[in-house]
Amino acid sequence: MKILLPFLCAVLLLADTNSSANLDANSTNKDKNSSAEQNLSAPKFQVIKPIIPPDDFTSQLFSLPSNAKVIEQIIVRYSDENGATQEKIIDINRSVDWRDDFMLSARAKPALSKILDVSVTSNDPNLEQNGGISMPKPYFTPRLDLPLETIKFDDKLQFVIKNHSLEIITKDELKSLDTNKSKFAKIELFRDEMKLSQAGFMVNVGGFYDINITRDEGFYSLEISGESNASFENFANGYIIKLK
């Protein structure tokens, strides 16, 4: 009996040591599994590259297939400030020749400066005592004929449309003129080179409807339509078309 007692104590001690070791191993495995789960569930951060806006639009030259007869509409798809795609439909409904070149172009709107109304005077009787300067009333009210629209075809040709008048700004010399047709004027000007064979502008402002440009050998033609017959004059910067 004395011999068995130490043996039983040794066995119990060994079992307790193995149990502690197993608990430590299980705890270590749980910690590893927990760390792995945390790594799997951790969010992955994605580097977002900044969106670089495209270059500013200036012009776009395009052509049409051989079966094109009428341009009915032009649909412009654009992105707004939030990145959403929007559409704007532009009605045209004009006959075309598919052999022509067509161009979309951007141009700045004319800036209208503020006009001082000199006909307004002060009614303050103390104005002169306070050192103010009184201005005499004008004999007439000044009238300014401001441009309604400006169209630049190229560096050598542009159009300034005012109320019932159209200025052709160019140094190209006159070849021929025809203003006898009803509500229509045709002008031919000399020029050796021109990028486009034909271009058209729908203006619908100031009494004018259309400006069509057609290139020929050594010259080009301007066909201008309006709401009435037109007269033709020279001026310092080119020519003027006036509606009667």
Side-chain angles (χ1 to χ4, degrees):
M1 189 68 179
K2 291 181 180 180
I3 296 173
L4 291 176
L5 184 59
F7 178 75
L8 291 174
C9 292
V11 171
L12 293 175
L13 181 60
L14 180 60
D16 183 63
T17 302
N18 291 334
S19 176
S20 299
N22 290 332
L23 290 174
D24 292 340
N26 291 334
S27 177
T28 303
N29 290 332
K30 288 181 180 180
D31 293 339
K32 290 181 178 179
N33 292 334
S34 177
S35 299
E37 291 176 356
Q38 291 178 358
N39 292 333
L40 289 175
S41 61
K44 295 182 179 180
F45 294 97
Q46 183 179 3
V47 178
I48 300 175
K49 295 182 180 180
I51 299 176
I52 301 176
D55 296 334
D56 292 340
F57 176 79
T58 55
S59 64
Q60 179 67 43
L61 187 68
F62 67 95
S63 59
L64 294 175
S66 58
N67 60 350
K69 298 297 181 183
V70 176
I71 295 181
E72 296 181 356
Q73 294 178 334
I74 293 178
I75 301 176
V76 180
R77 291 189 178 91
Y78 63 94
S79 299
D80 60 17
E81 64 274 7
N82 298 320
T85 301
Q86 306 286 349
E87 286 187 358
K88 180 177 178 61
I89 299 176
I90 304 171
D91 292 324
I92 304 296
N93 195 25
R94 294 299 176 99
S95 299
V96 295
D97 188 343
W98 66 270
R99 291 166 293 192
D100 294 338
D101 298 320
F102 301 90
M103 182 178 66
L104 295 174
S105 62
R107 59 181 176 82
K109 292 183 178 180
L112 301 179
S113 58
K114 294 183 178 180
I115 305 170
L116 177 62
D117 187 0
V118 297
S119 64
V120 178
T121 56
S122 175
N123 295 322
D124 186 0
N126 298 323
L127 182 60
E128 295 182 359
Q129 297 179 2
N130 294 333
I133 300 174
S134 61
M135 297 180 62
K137 293 183 179 180
Y139 293 103
F140 62 92
T141 302
R143 179 180 177 183
L144 300 178
D145 190 9
L146 298 176
L148 302 177
E149 187 168 356
T150 301
I151 299 173
K152 182 178 181 181
F153 176 74
D154 58 19
D155 293 337
K156 298 180 180 180
L157 177 64
Q158 62 179 336
F159 306 93
V160 178
I161 303 174
K162 298 180 180 180
N163 190 23
H164 288 80
S165 70
L166 187 152
E167 297 178 359
I168 305 171
I169 311 298
T170 184
K171 294 182 179 180
D172 298 334
E173 294 183 2
L174 181 66
K175 179 178 181 294
S176 66
L177 170 67
D178 184 5
T179 57
N180 294 324
K181 295 182 179 180
S182 177
K183 302 180 181 180
F184 181 85
K186 183 176 181 179
I187 305 164
E188 292 182 345
L189 300 168
F190 287 108
R191 189 193 290 195
D192 293 332
E193 296 181 357
M194 182 176 286
K195 294 181 180 179
L196 298 178
S197 60
Q198 189 172 10
F201 303 94
M202 291 190 307
V203 292
N204 292 329
V205 67
F208 295 91
Y209 299 144
D210 299 286
I211 302 173
N212 294 308
I213 306 170
T214 304
R215 182 186 66 192
D216 210 325
E217 186 175 355
F219 68 96
Y220 63 95
S221 301
L222 300 179
E223 295 181 352
I224 302 170
S225 63
E227 63 185 19
S228 62
N229 294 345
S231 62
F232 180 86
E233 298 177 8
N234 295 332
F235 85 118
N237 296 325
Y239 313 97
I240 300 178
I241 298 291
K242 293 183 178 181
L243 299 180
K244 297 179 180 179

